[in-house]
Amino acid sequence: MKIGIIGGGAIGLLFAAYLQKGHEVTLYVRSAEQKKLISSYGISLIEKGQQHISYVQVLLIDEWKGEEELSIVAVKQYDVHSLISIINDIQTAQSPAFLFLQNGMGHLSLLHDLRAKAILVGTVEHGALKKDARTVQHTGAGRTNIAVFSGEGTEAAECLQETSGDFPFAVREDYKDMLLQKLVINSIVNPLTGILQVKNGELIENPYYYTLVQDYFAEIAAVLELADPEEAFGALVSVCRKTSANTSSMLKDLQNQKKTEADAILGYILGEADRKNKHAPLVHAFYSCIKGKEPGN
């Protein structure tokens, strides 16, 4: 399958390095410098202490023409709005299929503006750390869950699932449940590690932090009206344990003085709290803490 991957961050590099093994991959990046480096030297994937070099075609984002069978969008959530405008301006006809891999659920309302025959959304369980413009470290193996958001996207989804090899994909029935499960984990792990400046595992290993996690989870579970809070909390603890040595994406962004995805993750929960007239003092507090740490604020 011809696959275009839009975004040269950690997830974009990781997906390009693995998917090129079974597909014809084109990576679309923002900077001419990154394009030149990857075109010349390939993508350097570091996995379990070993380095693997993968070569893919690399173009700039404004060179995307929608000619691939599947376009995987791997940019941050706050870039989705402008990217959709760019895509709609560039393409001359409806593209076959898109797969969006953003954290949170704030971007879902934007997807209705995209001209596409099929739109899929996904959640990524892998840990990935971008070391430089062409190097990504696979810090934790997992899988990518995908589900159809609109249109007829089952063919592309099933193709990924059948050809994924050592980079597994799983097709889910309900995109809302799938994204909600990831949202709960992201809304707790990301802001708390960002504020406390700790790795994921400390949230459950430190008894004081663990008490905070429990209280915070209870508030989010009430706002989102989770059907099975006990199962959701177990999944949260499991992720913290499996990724105990990892640095969350929000903590990385703050350390690198970059904008975070607080609006996409916590902003969505705050919107739900307002809509349902529910109190969410911890969500408000942690949202303010993260936004206050962002550059320029």
Side-chain angles (χ1 to χ4, degrees), residues 19-30:
L19 292 180
Q20 60 82 30
K21 297 176 183 179
H23 302 275
E24 184 179 336
V25 173
T26 301
L27 177 64
Y28 294 90
V29 301
R30 293 188 184 280

Side-chain angles (χ1 to χ4, degrees), residues 14-87:
L14 185 73
F15 273 62
Y18 276 102
L19 292 180
Q20 60 82 30
K21 297 176 183 179
H23 302 275
E24 184 179 336
V25 173
T26 301
L27 177 64
Y28 294 90
V29 301
R30 293 188 184 280
S31 75
E33 180 182 1
Q34 186 178 25
K35 174 184 175 181
K36 181 179 179 180
L37 284 170
I38 296 176
S39 296
S40 300
Y41 305 106
I43 297 171
S44 173
L45 171 66
I46 301 173
E47 181 198 18
K48 297 179 181 178
Q50 300 293 316
Q51 182 186 47
H52 309 274
I53 304 298
S54 301
Y55 288 94
V56 300
Q57 182 179 16
V58 191
L59 298 173
L60 296 178
I61 287 178
D62 59 10
E63 295 178 279
W64 180 90
K65 301 298 181 185
E67 297 173 344
E68 290 85 10
E69 298 164 79
L70 175 67
S71 293
I72 299 177
V73 180
V75 300
K76 294 283 191 178
Q77 192 275 343
Y78 49 74
D79 287 325
V80 171
H81 184 272
S82 60
L83 182 61
I84 287 177
S85 298
I86 293 172
I87 289 173

